[in-house]
Amino acid sequence: MDRIILHCDINSFFASVELLDHPELRDMPVAVSGDPELRHGIILAKNQAAKACGVITAETVWQARRKCPDLVLLPPQHEKYREFSRRLNRLYQEYTDMVEPFSIDESWLDVTASRTLFGSGTQIADRIRHRVREELGITLSAGVSYNKIFAKMGSEYRKPDATTEISRSNYQQLLWPMPVNEMFFVGFATAERLKAADIHTIGDLALADTRMLERLLGKQGPLLRSYARGEDDSPVRRYDQRNKIKSVGNGITFRRNLTGEDDILTALTRLSDTVAGRLRKYQLKAGGVKVDIKDTQLKTISRQTQLTRPTNLADELRRTAMELIRSFWPSQKPIRLITLTAISLCDETGEEQLSLFREENAAREKTESIERTMDAIRSRFGDSAIGFGQIIGNDIGIDL
């Protein structure tokens, strides 16, 4: 028997939440941006009126205003969004304990065992949509399918406030004619490589030669082909299993040995960015940082430290790791590998002690806004769409 998987995705999440406090703007084009006062701020979310004007997520404010001169810009309020995310996931858990958040506004639900209580997958999705609209004042689109990949693509298929079921009998008709860049996990760079190989649609990808895809994209190629064919059996994790993750880390063996602080900072910039992004995806924060260094003799030395306040920001992880390395490693001694690991994890929604200095809190909020903007861009355009400038042009083997 096939599973019944839902993917629930809030429509224009940040903008929808903001409009609850600004009902007078509901019929106007509205966007949430990283900093409305900066000409080069980034659009984080937009409402339907702004979308109708051609405004897109991740473009700059000046580009958006060229398309839509009357665009109203609102600053993000991330704590408010986290509170709505908590409320949404509590609502989902009334239908199943198999709820896996994918981001702050998206979650998968496995409702296979819930049918006898609440009806079919489509009926459950429609019931959830109705409750979210009535109880929270915002809307969501839901995908219903027999696997997570197609459920996610179903929630993207028709918006806003819609349910789309992608089944074994209709997925070829619905999905295969779509451009290959619409395939989940196919970012801009991957799509361009596929198009250069004459793979233009999801159907082309599904029918492509496996060996050719592996030569083109490595192990990712055959995996994407299997996803396009509906071959995904990855489970939906229980909601409480998120906090069973003990650590989140990333390590790199470099093209050449690192020597000097500039090399080390370049490496830590990439490592901390990856680790912080994963923490935010899992809605976790690190209470400590662990660094492993392997020298040219393949000897590994490990050190760790606790943070004064939990974090999932790359900037704070990088600075802490650099201070830790300075405490035990001579900067000119060659390094073959560095691994950065976030330890002592906790839920990002937990209470924490704020700094007594207003400037420090404001700076942290600004850093969080920037890094969550990067998350939004990567979610839409792929992991390589944006990165920190410090790693551009490096010769140690780190790519965007």
Side-chain angles (χ1 to χ4, degrees):
M1 181 184 70
D2 279 337
R3 297 178 297 163
I4 301 177
I5 310 297
L6 274 56
H7 184 270
C8 295
D9 184 3
I10 301 301
N11 303 133
S12 307
F13 182 48
F14 292 0
S16 296
V17 172
E18 294 298 336
L19 286 172
L20 294 175
D21 291 335
H22 299 280
E24 73 280 5
L25 301 177
R26 189 165 299 277
D27 296 325
M28 299 176 63
V30 175
V32 177
S33 66
D35 188 340
E37 301 303 318
L38 294 179
R39 184 171 178 265
H40 294 286
I42 298 294
I43 299 297
L44 299 179
K46 72 285 181 189
N47 67 352
Q48 287 298 311
K51 184 177 180 180
C53 295
V55 176
I56 61 174
T57 302
E59 71 178 341
T60 60
V61 166
W62 73 267
Q63 289 173 318
R65 278 190 159 150
R66 284 180 61 185
K67 301 173 182 176
C68 186
D70 296 328
L71 184 66
V72 178
L73 296 175
L74 299 173
Q77 301 184 71
H78 292 291
E79 181 51 45
K80 181 187 291 187
Y81 309 147
R82 285 193 288 269
E83 173 57 27
F84 265 83
S85 181
R86 288 191 288 266
R87 293 173 65 184
L88 285 162
N89 282 293
R90 285 197 296 267
L91 187 154
Y92 300 154
Q93 289 175 79
E94 294 182 29
Y95 297 89
T96 175
D97 60 351
M98 307 294 285
V99 177
E100 180 183 345
F102 180 61
S103 67
I104 194 169
D105 63 336
E106 302 177 55
S107 293
W108 278 294
L109 290 68
D110 186 332
V111 297
T112 308
S114 306
R115 291 176 302 166
T116 55
L117 292 174
F118 303 112
S120 68
T122 299
Q123 290 172 325
I124 295 173
D126 286 342
R127 183 180 297 193
I128 289 173
R129 284 196 303 109
H130 175 77
R131 287 191 59 190
V132 168
R133 185 171 58 248
E134 295 300 314
E135 296 175 25
L136 300 183
I138 56 181
T139 64
L140 68 79
S141 290
V144 182
S145 192
Y146 59 94
N147 66 59
K148 290 170 70 175
I149 300 295
F150 282 178
K152 162 69 174 172
M153 297 182 71
S155 69
E156 296 285 343
Y157 192 85
R158 190 157 53 97
K159 291 186 175 185
D161 199 14
T163 298
T164 300
E165 181 173 9
I166 298 179
S167 65
R168 291 190 184 275
S169 61
N170 71 4
Y171 77 87
Q172 294 184 18
Q173 176 187 355
L174 293 182
L175 301 182
W176 281 16
M178 295 171 63
V180 71
N181 56 282
E182 296 292 331
M183 183 69 215
F184 188 37
F185 289 131
V186 173
F188 175 80
T190 299
E192 291 303 302
R193 297 180 70 180
L194 289 169
K195 291 174 186 177
D198 203 29
I199 297 173
H200 299 280
T201 68
I202 294 175
D204 293 338
L205 176 62
L207 300 175
D209 180 74
T210 303
R211 289 171 295 182
M212 181 274 290
L213 288 172
E214 187 164 11
R215 288 194 300 270
L216 185 67
L217 301 173
K219 294 181 180 179
Q220 183 191 25
L223 184 61
L224 291 173
R225 177 183 184 272
S226 68
Y227 289 163
R229 299 166 69 91
E231 298 165 359
D232 167 43
D233 59 1
S234 57
V236 175
R237 293 182 301 164
R238 287 168 53 98
Y239 188 78
D240 56 9
Q241 286 181 337
R242 299 172 309 130
N243 295 331
K244 293 183 179 180
I245 299 173
K246 300 299 182 182
S247 63
V248 175
N250 190 33
I252 298 175
T253 299
F254 306 102
R255 182 179 296 151
R256 64 166 175 81
N257 294 331
L258 307 186
T259 55
E261 286 202 357
D262 286 346
D263 280 355
I264 296 172
L265 279 170
T266 298
L268 291 178
T269 296
R270 176 57 168 173
L271 293 171
S272 62
D273 184 24
T274 302
V275 171
R278 291 174 182 169
L279 287 171
R280 291 190 294 271
K281 176 180 176 180
Y282 301 143
Q283 297 182 314
L284 297 171
K285 287 186 175 181
V289 171
K290 178 172 175 282
V291 172
D292 298 288
I293 290 181
K294 183 178 290 186
D295 65 17
T296 55
Q297 304 303 312
L298 304 184
K299 179 182 178 182
T300 300
I301 298 177
S302 301
R303 295 288 189 275
Q304 64 184 54
T305 187
Q306 292 300 115
L307 295 158
T308 56
R309 57 195 294 195
T311 187
N312 52 16
L313 301 180
D315 180 64
E316 295 179 358
L317 294 176
R318 180 180 61 250
R319 284 190 281 110
T320 302
M322 190 69 230
E323 291 171 5
L324 185 58
I325 290 173
R326 287 186 181 124
S327 72
F328 75 93
W329 193 267
S331 63
Q332 295 303 317
K333 185 177 179 180
I335 295 174
R336 176 181 172 85
L337 174 147
I338 298 179
T339 299
L340 173 63
T341 305
I343 59 175
S344 303
L345 304 185
C346 60
D347 195 307
E348 74 168 2
T349 60
E351 296 182 1
E352 64 176 83
Q353 183 72 38
L354 294 177
S355 170
L356 296 177
F357 301 99
R358 182 179 302 174
E359 295 82 2
E360 183 177 332
N361 292 326
R364 198 178 200 224
E365 290 177 4
K366 182 176 180 180
T367 299
E368 179 178 0
S369 180
I370 291 170
E371 294 193 21
R372 290 191 182 274
T373 299
M374 293 171 67
D375 291 341
I377 294 171
R378 287 166 173 161
S379 175
R380 183 175 179 84
F381 298 106
D383 289 342
S384 61
I386 190 171
F388 288 97
Q390 185 165 349
I391 70 173
I392 295 176
N394 74 85
D395 65 346
I396 62 177
I398 297 177
D399 299 321
L400 276 179

